[in-house]
Amino acid sequence: MPELRTEEMTINMGPQHPSTHGVLRVELVLDGEIVVDAIPHIGYLHRCFEKHSESMNDYQQVIPYVDRMDYVAAMSNELGYAIAVERMLEIEVPERVEYIRVIMAELQRIASHLLAIGTYGLDIGAFTPFLHCFRDRERILEIFESACGARLLYNYIWVGGLSHDVPSNFKDKVRDFINYFPPKIKGYNDLLTYNKIFIDRTADVGVLPPEVALNYAASGPVLRGSGVDWDLRRNDPYSIYDRFEFDVVVGKGEMGTVGDCWDRYIVRVREMEQSVRIIEQAVEQMPDEGDVKAAVPKRIRPPEAEIYARTETPRGELGYYIISDGSMSPFRVKGRSPCFVNLSVLPAISRGSMIADIVAIIGSIDIVLGEIDR
Amino acid sequence: MVETLEQFLPHPLLAIIMHAALPMVIVFPYVLFAVWLERKVSAHMQDRLGPMRTGGWHGWSQTIADMIKMIQKEDIVPSRSDKFLFKFAPFLAFMGAYAAFAVIPFSSEYIGAHLDVGAFYILAVTSVVTLSILMAGWASNNKWSLLGAMRTSAQIVSYEVPTVVAVLSVIVATGTLNLMTISEMQTGTIFNWLIFSNPFLLIAFVLYFISSLAEVNRTPFDLPESESELVGGFQTEYSGMRWGMFMLTEYADMLLVSLLGSVLFFGAWNSPFGDFMSGPVWGVFWMVSKGMFFIFVMMWLRWTLPRLRVDQLMDVCWKYLIPIAFINLVLVALWEMLF
Amino acid sequence: MKRYFKDIWDSFYTIAIGMGVTFRHLFRKSVTIQYPDIKPELTERARNRLYVNMDDCIGCDQCSKACPVNCITIETVKAVPPDDLGVTSTGNPKRLWVTKFDIDIAKCCYCGLCVYPCPTECIKMTDVYEFSEFDRHNLVYNYSTMTPSEVEEAKGKFEKWQADKAAAKKSSTEKKKEGSEKPKAKQQESGEGKRSDSPEDKKSES
């Protein structure tokens, strides 16, 4: 048979594309349906977050901007920033605040993972799990709304405390949720996780070997999906995470190879179960009475210093590098975005796969463009 | 039936046109209803309500409003597209789908064309849809559309094989290609239906149903459109009523394969209760309700399942459906020979 | 070969389970509400449109400073002795005419940071969330209750007061340093035709 003359086709996936999760643009070089190369281009959602922070009047004003980095997990972002500034100021926050923060951060983790697995189903072509996830996420948002009045961008965790105390029925609401939620996970598993077509689409696709994941400094579920047992909540405990008992979920390659898309997906599903465990313990231990603000000066003026504080957000290691020049506003705020780092593995793991796999891989990395571009 | 119409109408040509337009009476309201039903089914499966406002009761007139909106929309033709093919493709698609209704026996009294090769005709004429999709994808001058169109042609051409073999199983069992004759053979109670006459025809039906899903591009085989990968596949550049025509075709195709399925396996226009509720008018009722049941199952599947990948799609066809279909054909023939 | 049949079985089995889940949901009560007809109940702390109770505003500019997106613009004029603006409901004396209190709600990011520093609790976030407009300019809310003529009047009074004060000061300094050179007072025409406004006075005012 004479050899067919074929040529590669370059095609733009995004920035306007239903499954690039925002405004990511991936330049695909295709040989038929096979991807020869995938080059992500970012920057379509750049809002000068870091530069803005430098021109704020005080450290508190940065928090609404921090919310808007990873807008589906705003609580976790606030927590990281608050911890960073608190370490600079060397202040201790009250016990009750720590518990509320942990509960909020873990609820946020569940909410964020629900969105991740829901949209992942959508990427693969299943529509229904997405709305089921939203139904349950709504319950978490209701708890947040009752606590701080906002549903998405909370501005709740402040430097040295919280904006409000939680409402009086907070514990009951959280208990209701942790009783309601675990059976729903089974529903997702029946509908999506163990579906044969879903497994076929995700197992052995986009395999990220542990060494590669470490070389790219991936973190969060992407790293754990590759079987690396690393979770900042346990390995470098911040806040009061060292008081709780929970397992770090890692991918085991149950349906295919370790580090495939299914592993990254299942890590998220099981992390939700672990978050429920943490919340259960935190609600039991949380003191009923107490102050929700530490003794923070009205004008936050950290000493001249620089600090890097890192926390485990739903997407991985979120670090804040803050330089203070001793004035009211930060000299420099740099966010170490987990999504940005995780996205960098895309070209490495997508070569040789198909177009539909690119969608599956991007979905399994679970990026939020607001955080990548900042 | 043409003869009856000729008696009332001044010109025989008018009678023929009228006769040919009769399936429209079913197809158009059906499409409006099916789109509404799809929205409702999907909504309730997802704990939502779906359209509730337009027209009062559960938004029954939502699709009518949508259709009026689509007709009013600007007809956008991309400047670098192949204009003639681009404009013509939606009509060709609908032509292909509609032409196939000619041999569907809607009732004991009504069939568009009494063809002796009805089943063969349907299988042949539905292939026109492939052509139109390819045409639309190519003419759009858009890489995503092209990818969608290429996927479609590969998919439909492959899946025609198991469909044909499954239909062939019925032909082997009945010995005729005439769909009216096949329907008449199933008169009587539910046990006269072909699906119960031969255990291997049950397998043939499952094969037929799966491959017909692929033929009409429904989930889990909706790769040509696959909105999360190819944006909209071959429909990416279409808008307004031209897009509406593709939608119409998709739903008409769904009805077609469902009706064909009920003719071949589920007793066509026959009542399941023997003489009870049978007759030409009841025939239409039974035919449409059997069709609607399969359409409901298709919707049910669509809102449950993820989508296959293009190579897995081919695997399912060539490695699973086709070998099983051929083995099944032999078994059907053996059963017919022995009993 | 075993794998082949297992795959077929798995496909049918898992699809059937999934279909069972969706079928059960078909008859479940919907979790959504028919929004414009039924409105969701918002919590007490709901953070939506900003509202300013101008009766209580003392024009301290704290909210404007706290705003991270600078959506609040406040201009004030000092109230001069014969006018007494009274006290707010929290007991703070009002000393400034708030001639301009604009909130560009299109810029507002609903963070609520402006609410906390307010000494009189007059700016707050309400549960009103339906306020879309066809024209973006309609989203600039003018909360100031003063009419333009009132603003002019207040400004005039203040300038007059300032001028009087400056004149008094000048005369007192002149008395002190009799014979010394007179400080040059820059003549400025204002809307009401008031006399003068020296840079020194501005400095002392601030």
Side-chain angles (χ1 to χ4, degrees):
Chain A
M1 188 177 145
E3 203 159 290
L4 281 172
R5 196 186 73 85
T6 58
E7 57 186 76
E8 285 165 356
M9 178 164 82
T10 310
I11 190 165
N12 254 327
M13 192 168 178
Q16 304 293 328
H17 190 277
S19 44
T20 52
H21 293 238
V23 284
L24 172 68
R25 175 178 148 223
V26 186
E27 195 183 323
L28 295 178
V29 182
L30 298 179
D31 176 15
E33 286 255 353
I34 311 283
V35 175
V36 178
D37 204 357
I39 306 141
H41 293 271
I42 58 168
Y44 290 88
L45 203 62
H46 183 55
R47 293 149 301 161
C48 312
F49 154 70
E50 290 168 355
K51 194 68 196 165
H52 266 305
S53 310
E54 293 163 23
S55 58
M56 287 293 113
N57 291 337
D58 62 38
Y59 279 82
Q60 193 62 57
Q61 284 187 331
V62 177
I63 289 186
Y65 284 93
V66 169
D67 276 343
R68 282 157 179 78
M69 271 173 68
D70 182 353
Y71 40 78
V72 299
M75 283 283 184
S76 314
N77 288 16
E78 289 166 11
L79 180 62
Y81 177 79
I83 285 176
V85 179
E86 279 157 14
R87 283 193 193 154
M88 280 175 105
L89 290 166
E90 289 172 351
I91 50 174
E92 289 276 312
V93 291
E95 187 92 327
R96 186 171 154 82
V97 173
E98 294 280 26
Y99 278 104
I100 295 171
R101 281 181 176 184
V102 166
I103 293 171
M104 289 299 184
E106 291 308 312
L107 284 174
Q108 182 74 83
R109 190 181 309 277
I110 296 175
S112 170
H113 281 347
L114 276 176
L115 190 82
I117 64 175
T119 49
Y120 195 47
L122 206 57
D123 290 343
I124 301 297
F127 209 102
T128 305
F130 173 67
L131 282 134
H132 286 184
C133 288
F134 259 60
R135 176 197 63 202
D136 299 335
R137 181 171 171 264
E138 187 62 31
R139 299 208 167 213
I140 300 175
L141 297 191
E142 264 166 27
I143 296 176
F144 288 161
E145 196 184 6
S146 72
C148 68
R151 294 166 53 81
L152 204 61
L153 304 161
Y154 311 105
N155 189 18
Y156 183 63
I157 298 175
W158 281 10
V159 175
L162 305 165
S163 72
H164 303 70
D165 195 354
V166 287
S168 52
N169 61 350
F170 176 74
K171 275 190 175 184
D172 298 331
K173 276 190 164 179
V174 175
R175 280 202 191 100
D176 277 353
F177 177 76
I178 53 182
N179 291 331
Y180 161 88
F181 187 60
K184 298 290 167 190
I185 297 179
K186 191 184 172 294
Y188 308 138
N189 286 345
D190 283 348
L191 192 54
L192 189 65
T193 312
Y194 294 110
N195 186 294
K196 178 77 178 145
I197 299 175
F198 181 75
I199 291 170
D200 278 353
R201 278 296 304 279
T202 53
D204 288 326
V205 168
V207 178
L208 177 66
E211 318 83 64
V212 179
L214 286 171
N215 285 348
Y216 277 89
S219 55
V222 176
L223 181 68
R224 289 194 285 277
S226 298
V228 181
D229 195 356
W230 177 261
D231 189 324
L232 288 177
R233 288 176 294 171
R234 192 201 57 201
N235 296 70
D236 181 15
Y238 53 94
S239 193
I240 48 165
Y241 273 108
D242 45 356
R243 296 184 198 176
F244 305 113
E245 203 178 288
F246 63 98
D247 300 328
V248 175
V249 185
V250 292
K252 297 188 194 77
E254 282 154 79
M255 296 296 162
T257 327
V258 177
D260 56 14
C261 289
W262 197 84
D263 273 357
R264 288 194 280 276
Y265 167 88
I266 200 71
V267 163
R268 293 200 177 91
V269 175
R270 289 181 185 151
E271 259 179 28
M272 294 200 296
E273 290 165 3
Q274 297 304 322
S275 289
V276 169
R277 263 179 80 188
I278 297 177
I279 295 167
E280 251 169 9
Q281 296 168 41
V283 170
E284 288 313 313
Q285 297 171 17
M286 186 176 123
D288 278 321
E289 297 295 323
D291 209 6
V292 291
K293 276 198 184 87
V296 184
K298 195 162 180 244
R299 298 263 174 262
I300 299 168
R301 202 189 285 269
E304 229 172 281
E306 48 188 85
I307 194 157
Y308 177 76
R310 54 185 186 170
T311 52
E312 181 83 24
T313 72
R315 284 171 184 75
E317 178 185 328
L318 174 72
Y320 285 101
Y321 178 57
I322 305 178
I323 304 178
S324 158
D325 55 358
S327 70
M328 296 274 288
S329 51
F331 180 73
R332 175 91 171 93
V333 176
K334 155 98 178 103
R336 187 259 186 213
S337 153
C339 298
F340 175 75
V341 178
N342 290 350
L343 181 66
S344 65
V345 303
L346 178 70
I349 61 177
S350 55
R351 281 187 198 109
S353 54
M354 303 192 133
I355 302 175
D357 291 340
I358 292 283
V359 172
I361 293 168
I362 293 175
S364 75
I365 294 174
D366 185 24
I367 50 169
V368 169
L369 265 293
E371 197 183 52
I372 292 176
D373 293 342
R374 295 194 288 283
Chain B
M1 190 142 177
V2 190
E3 295 77 34
T4 339
L5 282 169
E6 268 172 1
Q7 286 172 7
F8 295 107
L9 293 165
H11 197 275
L13 198 64
L14 213 58
I16 290 168
I17 291 170
M18 189 116 165
H19 188 72
L22 266 177
M24 288 270 192
V25 179
I26 290 174
V27 172
F28 270 117
Y30 146 78
V31 171
L32 293 178
F33 174 71
V35 174
W36 175 85
L37 184 74
E38 174 119 49
R39 287 174 176 173
K40 279 300 188 189
V41 167
S42 67
H44 284 279
M45 280 178 178
Q46 296 160 354
D47 295 349
R48 298 184 286 128
L49 286 167
M52 289 293 281
R53 304 193 76 78
T54 322
W57 187 80
H58 280 263
W60 63 272
S61 62
Q62 182 68 48
T63 39
I64 300 172
D66 279 347
M67 197 184 72
I68 294 167
K69 182 202 75 175
M70 278 198 291
I71 292 170
Q72 288 174 340
K73 272 180 101 169
E74 188 192 349
D75 181 25
I76 299 169
V77 180
S79 58
R80 300 283 295 274
S81 66
D82 187 326
K83 299 227 167 40
F84 174 72
L85 291 184
F86 185 84
K87 286 177 179 167
F88 182 58
F91 298 101
L92 185 70
F94 185 66
M95 247 155 66
Y98 189 68
F101 281 98
V103 291
I104 293 284
F106 279 97
S107 137
S108 50
E109 294 303 315
Y110 177 74
I111 182 164
H114 226 298
L115 282 188
D116 279 338
V117 287
F120 180 70
Y121 168 79
I122 282 193
L123 295 172
V125 90
T126 44
S127 304
V128 175
V129 179
T130 326
L131 196 65
S132 69
I133 288 175
L134 202 56
M135 205 186 253
W138 182 260
S140 296
N141 193 18
N142 174 323
K143 290 170 180 174
W144 294 111
S145 304
L146 183 64
L147 274 171
M150 290 302 163
R151 281 183 178 188
T152 316
S153 41
Q155 173 180 335
I156 296 186
V157 167
S158 308
Y159 274 85
E160 243 159 39
V161 182
T163 318
V164 169
V165 177
V167 173
L168 202 57
S169 317
V170 179
I171 311 298
V172 165
T174 55
T176 173
L177 281 166
N178 188 327
L179 293 177
M180 200 57 160
T181 320
I182 293 176
S183 309
E184 277 157 6
M185 283 169 77
Q186 302 178 66
T187 313
T189 57
I190 191 163
F191 300 105
N192 286 25
W193 293 2
L194 279 172
I195 189 133
F196 301 113
S197 70
N198 183 331
F200 297 107
L201 279 183
L202 184 68
I203 299 173
F205 171 70
V206 173
L207 291 170
Y208 170 79
F209 189 73
I210 294 172
S211 42
S212 66
L213 276 178
E215 288 249 4
V216 298
N217 305 333
R218 295 289 294 187
T219 311
F221 308 109
D222 63 341
L223 283 103
E225 290 150 53
S226 59
E227 70 282 342
S228 67
E229 297 149 28
L230 298 188
V231 194
F234 65 92
Q235 309 171 344
T236 310
E237 297 290 343
Y238 282 90
S239 62
M241 206 49 216
R242 286 185 207 283
W243 179 82
M245 289 295 274
F246 276 122
M247 213 58 192
L248 196 66
T249 313
E250 188 187 323
Y251 281 87
D253 263 342
M254 273 164 73
L255 181 67
L256 181 74
V257 295
S258 304
L259 291 181
L260 185 63
S262 46
V263 168
L264 293 177
F265 299 96
F266 284 87
W269 35 260
N270 289 299
S271 156
F273 315 112
D275 282 342
F276 182 62
M277 288 172 87
S278 66
V281 182
W282 278 115
V284 177
F285 167 76
W286 286 119
M287 192 68 180
V288 172
S289 40
K290 282 168 192 171
M292 286 315 289
F293 174 73
F294 294 125
I295 285 162
F296 170 73
V297 176
M298 284 182 183
M299 289 174 182
W300 187 3
L301 279 168
R302 170 163 178 192
W303 297 105
T304 305
L305 296 180
R307 179 184 307 121
L308 283 166
R309 202 171 55 206
V310 67
D311 58 327
Q312 290 160 351
L313 180 90
M314 290 297 151
D315 276 2
V316 170
C317 181
W318 294 101
K319 290 188 187 164
Y320 294 88
L321 294 179
I322 292 177
I324 296 172
F326 274 109
I327 295 168
N328 194 53
L329 177 65
V330 173
L331 293 173
V332 169
L334 276 176
W335 181 276
E336 289 300 321
M337 224 163 78
L338 297 173
F339 299 97
Chain C
M1 203 62 202
K2 202 178 157 195
R3 174 90 196 276
Y4 183 86
F5 288 108
K6 193 176 175 302
D7 277 351
I8 296 174
W9 166 250
D10 276 355
S11 306
F12 278 100
Y13 181 70
T14 55
I15 287 170
I17 285 179
M19 286 174 85
V21 172
T22 43
F23 193 73
R24 277 199 297 281
H25 276 277
L26 200 53
F27 305 105
R28 225 167 260 183
K29 204 173 162 288
S30 153
V31 293
T32 55
I33 54 168
Q34 288 298 301
Y35 158 60
D37 301 334
I38 307 162
K39 290 187 176 167
E41 231 174 81
L42 295 184
T43 57
E44 249 173 80
R45 294 172 182 177
R47 294 205 317 243
N48 293 303
R49 185 159 74 173
L50 278 168
Y51 173 73
V52 184
N53 183 2
M54 284 311 288
D55 292 344
D56 278 359
C57 180
I58 58 167
C60 64
D61 209 26
Q62 293 274 345
C63 47
S64 167
K65 279 189 193 119
C67 181
V69 291
N70 302 334
C71 74
I72 306 175
T73 320
I74 300 177
E75 280 172 16
T76 52
V77 171
K78 198 173 173 188
V80 290
D83 296 323
D84 183 19
L85 299 182
V87 291
T88 64
S89 59
T90 49
N92 301 43
K94 288 163 81 172
R95 296 204 177 86
L96 300 165
W97 291 108
V98 184
T99 54
K100 189 179 178 190
F101 198 119
D102 285 359
I103 295 182
D104 189 347
I105 209 79
K107 275 191 200 168
C108 178
C109 70
Y110 306 95
C111 61
L113 282 176
C114 50
V115 177
Y116 303 97
C118 184
T120 61
E121 290 170 18
C122 74
I123 185 165
K124 52 181 181 280
M125 304 205 98
T126 59
D127 57 359
V128 182
Y129 52 90
E130 294 160 310
F131 49 92
S132 52
E133 294 278 355
F134 283 104
D135 185 356
R136 200 186 302 157
H137 299 99
N138 294 342
L139 286 169
V140 180
Y141 294 156
N142 308 309
Y143 281 102
S144 177
T145 47
M146 295 173 80
T147 58
S149 63
E150 279 173 335
V151 171
E152 286 304 317
E153 200 189 328
K155 272 185 186 165
K157 277 180 182 170
F158 174 64
E159 274 161 18
K160 186 167 182 291
W161 177 77
Q162 254 185 337
D164 289 351
K165 210 176 145 190
K169 206 177 172 186
K170 208 187 286 170
S171 61
S172 67
T173 48
E174 266 166 21
K175 270 174 197 168
K176 270 182 191 171
K177 302 176 182 179
E178 247 174 318
S180 66
E181 60 198 272
K182 283 178 186 178
K184 279 177 193 169
K186 205 176 168 189
Q187 288 292 315
Q188 223 174 21
E189 281 299 319
S190 68
E192 305 282 297
K194 290 293 164 302
R195 265 184 28 203
S196 70
D197 187 12
S198 73
E200 286 160 65
D201 287 319
K202 263 187 186 166
K203 217 176 275 172
S204 66
E205 207 271 318
S206 66

